[in-house]
Amino acid sequence: MICVRDLRKIYPTRFGENLVLDGINFDLDRGERLGILGRNGAGKSTMVRLISGAERPTSGTIESSMSISWPLAFGGAFQHQLTGIDNIRFISTIYDQDFERNLAFVEEFAELGPYLREPVRTYSSGMRARLAFAISMIIEFDCFLIDEISAVGDARFHDRCNHELFEKRADRAMIIISHDAAYVRDHCNRWGVLHDSKLKLYDDFELAYADFKELIGWKPPPGWLELQVSTA
């Protein structure tokens, strides 16, 4: 289980303190998939980085009896001066994994070709995300943190990612953040809305999504209602 208690994160700025997260509390059991909705800048990625250990909270605690992945679209876990292959070797050594087997999997899955032999600092953000996802799949974490992986790659790559995560690892815990509400709806069994530094939890997606749209002031574009009726 992951237990988050009174989590708070403040970033200093030239204009004063920026309170991003304030009093975040939730538990996550194995097999639960928590989807987080929030507008840009709400603190979703910050919360995921804190849970992964990539950043430290200003206050509060994160306790876990499960192994937790790095955010799957986050390249901060890499040594950027090393090549993709060297990063695979490094992570394989840390986790006591078979390097040759892992290299073969990443080569086939990430489809980076000769770029695996180039320094990661030369990669595009999409290439780093592909490498991060592929490397995450060679380590059998209990909980996977998924940060906008649906925005990376083409439809075929999405299908492969979904197969690895939601079919082969259906018993794992997950925290998923995405701007794609349908992705969060389809792949989660609990939901949260992060707004004004606070997190509210829901067991019903439609209620969570309705509250989210109200909080951000979403209004349907002209003709939207008629389109929904005509396609129903």
Side-chain angles (χ1 to χ4, degrees):
M1 175 182 285
I2 297 173
C3 300
V4 177
R5 294 291 181 269
D6 299 320
L7 193 65
R8 202 162 186 260
K9 183 64 177 180
I10 298 173
Y11 290 106
T13 73
R14 70 172 71 181
F15 308 108
E17 293 184 339
N18 178 23
L19 177 62
V20 179
L21 301 172
D22 187 21
I24 305 298
N25 292 278
F26 67 88
D27 294 333
L28 189 74
D29 284 321
R30 190 178 180 92
E32 289 188 312
R33 301 175 184 174
L34 175 62
I36 306 296
L37 298 169
R39 69 194 317 163
N40 286 341
K44 303 185 301 298
S45 293
T46 296
M47 187 176 74
V48 165
R49 288 196 300 271
L50 294 176
I51 294 170
S52 74
E55 292 189 35
R56 294 179 62 84
T58 302
S59 62
T61 61
I62 302 168
E63 297 181 355
S64 178
S65 59
M66 299 190 289
S67 59
I68 303 174
S69 78
W70 51 83
L72 298 195
F74 174 59
F78 296 129
Q79 299 293 320
H80 287 257
Q81 72 277 14
L82 299 181
T83 67
I85 289 178
D86 288 336
N87 272 279
I88 298 167
R89 181 181 289 107
F90 176 68
I91 292 174
S92 297
T93 300
I94 290 176
Y95 287 94
D96 194 24
Q97 299 275 319
D98 184 317
F99 165 68
E100 294 296 338
R101 178 182 61 82
N102 289 344
L103 175 60
F105 174 83
V106 174
E107 282 185 314
E108 190 276 332
F109 192 92
E111 297 181 332
L112 294 174
Y115 283 100
L116 270 179
R117 290 158 179 81
E118 298 295 326
V120 171
R121 59 180 167 77
T122 67
Y123 289 15
S124 67
S125 60
M127 292 166 66
R128 286 195 299 271
R130 282 175 172 262
L131 181 62
F133 186 94
I135 290 179
S136 296
M137 294 300 97
I138 66 179
I139 312 298
E140 293 300 334
F141 295 106
D142 299 318
C143 177
F144 287 93
L145 307 177
I146 304 168
D147 186 349
E148 292 294 354
I149 196 67
S150 62
V152 176
D154 55 19
R156 187 173 70 88
F157 185 72
H158 294 171
D159 289 342
R160 298 176 74 194
C161 292
N162 291 340
H163 175 71
E164 286 290 330
L165 279 171
F166 304 120
E167 296 180 29
K168 294 178 67 173
R169 293 165 178 82
D171 63 333
R172 312 302 168 84
M174 298 181 191
I175 298 176
I176 301 174
I177 63 175
S178 176
H179 290 99
D180 185 343
Y183 187 85
V184 172
R185 176 198 63 204
D186 293 344
H187 295 300
C188 298
N189 49 33
R190 291 175 62 201
W191 298 271
V193 174
L194 188 58
H195 184 75
D196 285 346
S197 308
K198 304 289 187 181
L199 179 68
K200 184 176 180 181
L201 298 173
Y202 301 80
D203 292 323
D204 183 289
F205 172 79
E206 296 302 332
L207 180 58
Y209 191 45
D211 283 358
F212 168 65
K213 290 190 291 185
E214 182 177 355
L215 286 169
I216 66 173
W218 183 86
K219 295 180 180 179
W224 182 85
L225 181 59
E226 291 81 358
L227 178 63
Q228 300 304 303
V229 171
S230 66
T231 57

